Amino acid sequence: MEQICLRLYAREGQQHQRHLLSDWLLDSARQLGVAGGTVLRASAGFGRHGLQEDSFFELGGELPVIIELVLSQAQAEAMLALCAEQGLHLFYTRMSVTSGITV
């Protein structure tokens, strides 16, 4: 099945409406009818907030997380529109993917 892989990038401790942003995004995707999503925690990364990496001394929620959703084009557009409506300034990538279930 041809779908979209939407990846939203955030910081692990980032909050929105008194919830972790990653949890809020997963809940919002579920409400849009998305079948599933995954949050991946990075061990290191750099971007507009500089270099962050996991070490013995924890960074207190500053490591990058990726919220990955495989969804329809319409759901991807709705998710990005919701993020814009909520004033979230998140970097994202959107890729066409083929998905299925192994037999």
Short mmCIF file of all heavy atoms in Angstrom, two decimals, residues 49-98:
data_model
loop_
_atom_site.label_atom_id
_atom_site.label_comp_id
_atom_site.label_asym_id
_atom_site.label_seq_id
_atom_site.Cartn_x
_atom_site.Cartn_y
_atom_site.Cartn_z
N HIS A 49 19.23 23.69 17.64
CA HIS A 49 19.50 23.84 19.07
C HIS A 49 20.90 23.39 19.45
O HIS A 49 21.20 23.23 20.62
CB HIS A 49 18.46 23.05 19.88
CG HIS A 49 17.06 23.52 19.64
ND1 HIS A 49 16.60 24.75 20.05
CD2 HIS A 49 16.02 22.95 19.00
CE1 HIS A 49 15.35 24.91 19.69
NE2 HIS A 49 14.97 23.83 19.04
N GLY A 50 21.76 23.18 18.46
CA GLY A 50 23.14 22.79 18.72
C GLY A 50 23.29 21.28 18.85
O GLY A 50 22.37 20.51 18.61
N LEU A 51 24.48 20.86 19.25
CA LEU A 51 24.80 19.45 19.41
C LEU A 51 24.32 18.95 20.77
O LEU A 51 24.56 19.59 21.80
CB LEU A 51 26.31 19.23 19.29
CG LEU A 51 26.82 17.82 19.55
CD1 LEU A 51 26.31 16.87 18.48
CD2 LEU A 51 28.34 17.79 19.59
N GLN A 52 23.63 17.82 20.77
CA GLN A 52 23.18 17.18 22.00
C GLN A 52 23.58 15.71 21.90
O GLN A 52 23.41 15.10 20.86
CB GLN A 52 21.66 17.28 22.16
CG GLN A 52 21.10 18.66 22.11
CD GLN A 52 21.50 19.53 23.28
OE1 GLN A 52 21.83 19.05 24.36
NE2 GLN A 52 21.51 20.82 23.08
N GLU A 53 24.12 15.16 22.96
CA GLU A 53 24.42 13.74 22.96
C GLU A 53 24.25 13.15 24.34
O GLU A 53 24.37 13.83 25.34
CB GLU A 53 25.82 13.47 22.39
CG GLU A 53 26.95 14.19 23.07
CD GLU A 53 28.26 14.00 22.31
OE1 GLU A 53 28.49 12.92 21.74
OE2 GLU A 53 29.04 14.95 22.29
N ASP A 54 23.95 11.86 24.36
CA ASP A 54 23.76 11.12 25.59
C ASP A 54 25.12 10.93 26.25
O ASP A 54 26.10 10.63 25.59
CB ASP A 54 23.14 9.76 25.26
CG ASP A 54 22.38 9.17 26.42
OD1 ASP A 54 22.35 9.78 27.49
OD2 ASP A 54 21.80 8.09 26.23
N SER A 55 25.17 11.13 27.55
CA SER A 55 26.42 10.91 28.28
C SER A 55 26.07 10.48 29.70
O SER A 55 24.91 10.32 30.05
CB SER A 55 27.24 12.21 28.31
OG SER A 55 26.57 13.20 29.08
N PHE A 56 27.08 10.29 30.50
CA PHE A 56 26.86 9.90 31.88
C PHE A 56 26.01 10.92 32.61
O PHE A 56 25.12 10.58 33.38
CB PHE A 56 28.21 9.72 32.59
CG PHE A 56 28.07 9.33 34.03
CD1 PHE A 56 27.71 8.03 34.38
CD2 PHE A 56 28.25 10.26 35.04
CE1 PHE A 56 27.56 7.67 35.70
CE2 PHE A 56 28.11 9.90 36.37
CZ PHE A 56 27.76 8.61 36.70
N PHE A 57 26.25 12.19 32.35
CA PHE A 57 25.47 13.27 32.95
C PHE A 57 24.30 13.57 32.03
O PHE A 57 24.47 14.07 30.93
CB PHE A 57 26.33 14.52 33.17
CG PHE A 57 27.49 14.27 34.08
CD1 PHE A 57 28.76 14.10 33.57
CD2 PHE A 57 27.29 14.16 35.44
CE1 PHE A 57 29.83 13.86 34.41
CE2 PHE A 57 28.35 13.92 36.29
CZ PHE A 57 29.63 13.76 35.78
N GLU A 58 23.10 13.23 32.46
CA GLU A 58 21.91 13.37 31.63
C GLU A 58 21.68 14.83 31.25
O GLU A 58 22.00 15.75 32.00
CB GLU A 58 20.68 12.83 32.36
CG GLU A 58 20.71 11.33 32.56
CD GLU A 58 20.77 10.56 31.26
OE1 GLU A 58 20.05 10.89 30.30
OE2 GLU A 58 21.57 9.61 31.19
N LEU A 59 21.07 15.04 30.11
CA LEU A 59 20.82 16.38 29.60
C LEU A 59 19.46 16.92 30.02
O LEU A 59 19.08 18.00 29.61
CB LEU A 59 20.93 16.37 28.07
CG LEU A 59 22.33 16.09 27.54
CD1 LEU A 59 22.26 15.91 26.02
CD2 LEU A 59 23.26 17.21 27.88
N GLY A 60 18.72 16.19 30.80
CA GLY A 60 17.45 16.70 31.30
C GLY A 60 16.42 16.96 30.21
O GLY A 60 15.81 18.01 30.18
N GLY A 61 16.23 15.99 29.33
CA GLY A 61 15.18 16.11 28.33
C GLY A 61 15.54 16.90 27.10
O GLY A 61 14.66 17.39 26.41
N GLU A 62 16.81 17.03 26.78
CA GLU A 62 17.21 17.83 25.63
C GLU A 62 17.58 16.99 24.41
O GLU A 62 17.87 17.54 23.36
CB GLU A 62 18.39 18.73 26.00
CG GLU A 62 18.01 19.83 26.97
CD GLU A 62 16.94 20.76 26.41
OE1 GLU A 62 17.03 21.18 25.25
OE2 GLU A 62 15.98 21.05 27.14
N LEU A 63 17.58 15.66 24.52
CA LEU A 63 17.93 14.84 23.37
C LEU A 63 16.80 14.85 22.34
O LEU A 63 15.63 14.98 22.69
CB LEU A 63 18.21 13.40 23.81
CG LEU A 63 19.55 13.20 24.51
CD1 LEU A 63 19.65 11.80 25.09
CD2 LEU A 63 20.70 13.45 23.54
N PRO A 64 17.15 14.69 21.07
CA PRO A 64 16.11 14.67 20.03
C PRO A 64 15.26 13.41 20.12
O PRO A 64 15.73 12.35 20.50
CB PRO A 64 16.91 14.68 18.72
CG PRO A 64 18.31 14.98 19.07
CD PRO A 64 18.49 14.64 20.50
N VAL A 65 13.99 13.56 19.74
CA VAL A 65 13.10 12.42 19.54
C VAL A 65 12.47 12.58 18.16
O VAL A 65 12.28 13.69 17.67
CB VAL A 65 11.99 12.29 20.62
CG1 VAL A 65 12.56 11.92 21.96
CG2 VAL A 65 11.15 13.54 20.71
N ILE A 66 12.18 11.44 17.56
CA ILE A 66 11.49 11.41 16.27
C ILE A 66 10.14 10.77 16.51
O ILE A 66 10.06 9.67 17.08
CB ILE A 66 12.28 10.59 15.23
CG1 ILE A 66 13.64 11.23 14.97
CG2 ILE A 66 11.46 10.46 13.94
CD1 ILE A 66 14.55 10.35 14.14
N ILE A 67 9.10 11.44 16.09
CA ILE A 67 7.74 10.88 16.15
C ILE A 67 7.44 10.46 14.71
O ILE A 67 7.35 11.31 13.81
CB ILE A 67 6.71 11.91 16.67
CG1 ILE A 67 7.08 12.38 18.08
CG2 ILE A 67 5.31 11.32 16.66
CD1 ILE A 67 8.00 13.54 18.14
N GLU A 68 7.35 9.15 14.49
CA GLU A 68 7.19 8.63 13.13
C GLU A 68 5.80 8.05 12.95
O GLU A 68 5.35 7.24 13.75
CB GLU A 68 8.25 7.57 12.86
CG GLU A 68 8.23 7.05 11.44
CD GLU A 68 9.40 6.14 11.15
OE1 GLU A 68 10.44 6.66 10.72
OE2 GLU A 68 9.27 4.92 11.38
N LEU A 69 5.14 8.48 11.88
CA LEU A 69 3.79 8.03 11.56
C LEU A 69 3.75 7.57 10.12
O LEU A 69 4.33 8.22 9.24
CB LEU A 69 2.80 9.18 11.74
CG LEU A 69 2.81 9.91 13.08
CD1 LEU A 69 2.04 11.21 12.98
CD2 LEU A 69 2.23 9.02 14.17
N VAL A 70 3.10 6.45 9.85
CA VAL A 70 2.84 6.01 8.48
C VAL A 70 1.34 6.17 8.27
O VAL A 70 0.54 5.56 8.99
CB VAL A 70 3.31 4.56 8.24
CG1 VAL A 70 2.95 4.10 6.83
CG2 VAL A 70 4.81 4.44 8.47
N LEU A 71 0.99 7.03 7.31
CA LEU A 71 -0.40 7.44 7.17
C LEU A 71 -0.73 7.80 5.73
O LEU A 71 0.15 7.77 4.87
CB LEU A 71 -0.68 8.62 8.11
CG LEU A 71 0.43 9.64 8.43
CD1 LEU A 71 0.93 10.38 7.25
CD2 LEU A 71 -0.01 10.56 9.51
N SER A 72 -1.97 8.13 5.49
CA SER A 72 -2.39 8.53 4.14
C SER A 72 -1.96 9.98 3.89
O SER A 72 -1.62 10.72 4.83
CB SER A 72 -3.91 8.43 4.02
OG SER A 72 -4.54 9.43 4.80
N GLN A 73 -1.98 10.37 2.63
CA GLN A 73 -1.66 11.75 2.26
C GLN A 73 -2.59 12.73 2.98
O GLN A 73 -2.14 13.74 3.51
CB GLN A 73 -1.77 11.92 0.75
CG GLN A 73 -1.45 13.31 0.25
CD GLN A 73 0.01 13.67 0.38
OE1 GLN A 73 0.88 12.82 0.29
NE2 GLN A 73 0.29 14.94 0.60
N ALA A 74 -3.87 12.42 3.02
CA ALA A 74 -4.85 13.31 3.68
C ALA A 74 -4.56 13.42 5.18
O ALA A 74 -4.65 14.52 5.76
CB ALA A 74 -6.26 12.80 3.45
N GLN A 75 -4.22 12.30 5.82
CA GLN A 75 -3.90 12.34 7.25
C GLN A 75 -2.62 13.13 7.50
O GLN A 75 -2.53 13.87 8.49
CB GLN A 75 -3.75 10.92 7.80
CG GLN A 75 -5.06 10.17 7.90
CD GLN A 75 -4.85 8.70 8.21
OE1 GLN A 75 -3.91 8.06 7.74
NE2 GLN A 75 -5.76 8.16 9.01
N ALA A 76 -1.63 12.99 6.62
CA ALA A 76 -0.39 13.76 6.76
C ALA A 76 -0.67 15.26 6.67
O ALA A 76 -0.16 16.04 7.48
CB ALA A 76 0.63 13.33 5.71
N GLU A 77 -1.48 15.64 5.70
CA GLU A 77 -1.84 17.06 5.55
C GLU A 77 -2.59 17.56 6.78
O GLU A 77 -2.34 18.66 7.27
CB GLU A 77 -2.68 17.28 4.29
CG GLU A 77 -1.95 17.01 3.00
CD GLU A 77 -0.76 17.92 2.77
OE1 GLU A 77 -0.77 19.07 3.26
OE2 GLU A 77 0.20 17.47 2.13
N ALA A 78 -3.50 16.74 7.31
CA ALA A 78 -4.27 17.12 8.50
C ALA A 78 -3.35 17.26 9.71
O ALA A 78 -3.51 18.18 10.52
CB ALA A 78 -5.37 16.11 8.76
N MET A 79 -2.39 16.36 9.84
CA MET A 79 -1.46 16.40 10.97
C MET A 79 -0.60 17.65 10.92
O MET A 79 -0.41 18.34 11.93
CB MET A 79 -0.60 15.13 10.97
CG MET A 79 0.19 14.91 12.21
SD MET A 79 -0.90 14.45 13.57
CE MET A 79 0.23 14.63 14.93
N LEU A 80 -0.08 17.98 9.74
CA LEU A 80 0.75 19.18 9.60
C LEU A 80 -0.08 20.44 9.81
O LEU A 80 0.40 21.41 10.42
CB LEU A 80 1.42 19.19 8.23
CG LEU A 80 2.49 18.11 8.04
CD1 LEU A 80 2.97 18.08 6.60
CD2 LEU A 80 3.64 18.29 9.01
N ALA A 81 -1.32 20.44 9.35
CA ALA A 81 -2.20 21.59 9.57
C ALA A 81 -2.49 21.78 11.06
O ALA A 81 -2.51 22.90 11.56
CB ALA A 81 -3.51 21.41 8.79
N LEU A 82 -2.70 20.67 11.77
CA LEU A 82 -2.94 20.75 13.21
C LEU A 82 -1.72 21.32 13.94
O LEU A 82 -1.86 22.17 14.83
CB LEU A 82 -3.28 19.36 13.76
CG LEU A 82 -3.51 19.27 15.27
CD1 LEU A 82 -4.69 20.14 15.70
CD2 LEU A 82 -3.73 17.82 15.68
N CYS A 83 -0.53 20.87 13.54
CA CYS A 83 0.70 21.40 14.16
C CYS A 83 0.82 22.90 13.93
O CYS A 83 1.18 23.65 14.84
CB CYS A 83 1.92 20.67 13.61
SG CYS A 83 2.07 18.96 14.19
N ALA A 84 0.51 23.34 12.71
CA ALA A 84 0.57 24.77 12.39
C ALA A 84 -0.48 25.54 13.19
O ALA A 84 -0.19 26.61 13.75
CB ALA A 84 0.36 24.98 10.89
N GLU A 85 -1.67 24.99 13.28
CA GLU A 85 -2.76 25.62 14.03
C GLU A 85 -2.40 25.78 15.50
O GLU A 85 -2.77 26.77 16.14
CB GLU A 85 -4.01 24.75 13.89
CG GLU A 85 -5.22 25.21 14.65
CD GLU A 85 -6.36 24.20 14.51
OE1 GLU A 85 -6.78 23.97 13.36
OE2 GLU A 85 -6.78 23.65 15.54
N GLN A 86 -1.67 24.81 16.05
CA GLN A 86 -1.27 24.84 17.45
C GLN A 86 -0.01 25.69 17.70
O GLN A 86 0.44 25.81 18.82
CB GLN A 86 -1.01 23.41 17.96
CG GLN A 86 -2.26 22.56 18.04
CD GLN A 86 -3.18 23.05 19.14
OE1 GLN A 86 -2.76 23.33 20.26
NE2 GLN A 86 -4.47 23.15 18.82
N GLY A 87 0.55 26.24 16.63
CA GLY A 87 1.74 27.09 16.76
C GLY A 87 3.01 26.31 17.02
O GLY A 87 3.99 26.87 17.52
N LEU A 88 3.02 25.03 16.67
CA LEU A 88 4.21 24.21 16.87
C LEU A 88 5.18 24.45 15.71
O LEU A 88 4.79 24.43 14.55
CB LEU A 88 3.84 22.72 16.93
CG LEU A 88 2.88 22.34 18.05
CD1 LEU A 88 2.48 20.87 17.91
CD2 LEU A 88 3.53 22.59 19.40
N HIS A 89 6.42 24.70 16.03
CA HIS A 89 7.45 24.94 15.02
C HIS A 89 8.37 23.73 15.00
O HIS A 89 9.43 23.75 15.62
CB HIS A 89 8.21 26.22 15.32
CG HIS A 89 7.33 27.43 15.31
ND1 HIS A 89 6.92 28.03 14.14
CD2 HIS A 89 6.76 28.11 16.32
CE1 HIS A 89 6.13 29.05 14.44
NE2 HIS A 89 6.01 29.12 15.75
N LEU A 90 7.94 22.69 14.32
CA LEU A 90 8.67 21.43 14.29
C LEU A 90 9.26 21.18 12.91
O LEU A 90 8.58 21.37 11.90
CB LEU A 90 7.73 20.26 14.64
CG LEU A 90 7.03 20.33 15.99
CD1 LEU A 90 6.01 19.20 16.11
CD2 LEU A 90 8.05 20.26 17.11
N PHE A 91 10.49 20.73 12.89
CA PHE A 91 11.07 20.26 11.64
C PHE A 91 10.43 18.91 11.32
O PHE A 91 10.16 18.12 12.21
CB PHE A 91 12.60 20.10 11.79
CG PHE A 91 13.26 19.62 10.53
CD1 PHE A 91 13.49 20.48 9.48
CD2 PHE A 91 13.63 18.28 10.42
CE1 PHE A 91 14.09 20.03 8.33
CE2 PHE A 91 14.23 17.83 9.26
CZ PHE A 91 14.47 18.70 8.21
N TYR A 92 10.15 18.66 10.04
CA TYR A 92 9.56 17.38 9.66
C TYR A 92 10.12 16.93 8.33
O TYR A 92 10.65 17.73 7.54
CB TYR A 92 8.03 17.46 9.60
CG TYR A 92 7.48 18.26 8.45
CD1 TYR A 92 7.19 17.64 7.23
CD2 TYR A 92 7.25 19.62 8.57
CE1 TYR A 92 6.68 18.37 6.16
CE2 TYR A 92 6.75 20.35 7.52
CZ TYR A 92 6.47 19.73 6.32
OH TYR A 92 5.97 20.46 5.27
N THR A 93 10.01 15.63 8.08
CA THR A 93 10.28 15.06 6.76
C THR A 93 9.06 14.24 6.37
O THR A 93 8.37 13.69 7.22
CB THR A 93 11.54 14.17 6.74
OG1 THR A 93 11.41 13.11 7.68
CG2 THR A 93 12.79 14.98 7.07
N ARG A 94 8.82 14.19 5.07
CA ARG A 94 7.69 13.44 4.55
C ARG A 94 8.20 12.65 3.35
O ARG A 94 8.77 13.21 2.43
CB ARG A 94 6.58 14.40 4.14
CG ARG A 94 5.40 13.70 3.55
CD ARG A 94 4.23 14.60 3.22
NE ARG A 94 4.55 15.96 2.91
CZ ARG A 94 3.64 16.93 2.84
NH1 ARG A 94 2.38 16.68 3.08
NH2 ARG A 94 3.99 18.16 2.54
N MET A 95 7.99 11.33 3.38
CA MET A 95 8.48 10.46 2.32
C MET A 95 7.37 9.51 1.88
O MET A 95 6.58 9.06 2.71
CB MET A 95 9.65 9.60 2.83
CG MET A 95 10.83 10.40 3.36
SD MET A 95 11.87 9.42 4.45
CE MET A 95 10.99 9.62 6.01
N SER A 96 7.35 9.18 0.61
CA SER A 96 6.43 8.16 0.12
C SER A 96 7.02 6.80 0.47
O SER A 96 8.21 6.57 0.29
CB SER A 96 6.27 8.26 -1.40
OG SER A 96 5.66 9.47 -1.75
N VAL A 97 6.18 5.92 1.01
CA VAL A 97 6.63 4.59 1.39
C VAL A 97 5.60 3.56 0.93
O VAL A 97 4.44 3.89 0.71
CB VAL A 97 6.85 4.44 2.92
CG1 VAL A 97 7.96 5.35 3.40
CG2 VAL A 97 5.58 4.72 3.69
N THR A 98 6.07 2.35 0.82
CA THR A 98 5.19 1.22 0.56
C THR A 98 5.13 0.44 1.86
O THR A 98 6.15 0.09 2.43
CB THR A 98 5.72 0.33 -0.57
OG1 THR A 98 5.83 1.14 -1.74
CG2 THR A 98 4.79 -0.83 -0.83
#
